[in-house]
Amino acid sequence: MKATFKLPKTKKGWFSVCLVAFVIALGSWPIIHLFNKEIIVLGMPLMMLWSIVLIFLTTFSMILIDKIGGAD
């Protein structure tokens, strides 16, 4: 089986790839290290709050990509 990799052909496609890469970067180690502190916000540790924010960012980025048609 031959594996293939397709690059986006439109600006919307590249924007979508960059948006997904940005959201993934927000969940990576250097950023997580900033939020891994013993601080309570709204009754939750800061790290848990950041995790919830990442879930919403991921959801909204997928909705945005679907709206602009960048998944083609």
Side-chain angles (χ1 to χ4, degrees):
M1 184 169 142
K2 183 178 178 183
T4 60
F5 183 76
K6 292 183 179 179
L7 293 174
K9 295 178 182 171
T10 63
K11 289 182 181 180
K12 292 177 185 177
W14 280 108
F15 174 76
S16 301
V17 168
C18 291
L19 186 62
V20 169
F22 179 70
V23 171
I24 290 171
L26 288 177
S28 65
W29 176 79
I31 304 297
I32 292 297
H33 182 67
L34 295 174
F35 292 96
N36 194 12
K37 307 216 187 264
E38 294 180 12
I39 299 172
I40 302 295
V41 179
L42 302 172
M44 297 181 287
L46 187 60
M47 183 74 160
M48 183 182 228
L49 184 67
W50 181 244
S51 299
I52 293 170
V53 168
L54 279 178
I55 290 170
F56 283 110
L57 279 175
T58 304
T59 302
F60 290 128
S61 65
M62 292 296 118
I63 290 171
L64 179 66
I65 290 170
D66 187 48
K67 291 283 182 188
I68 65 171
D72 292 334

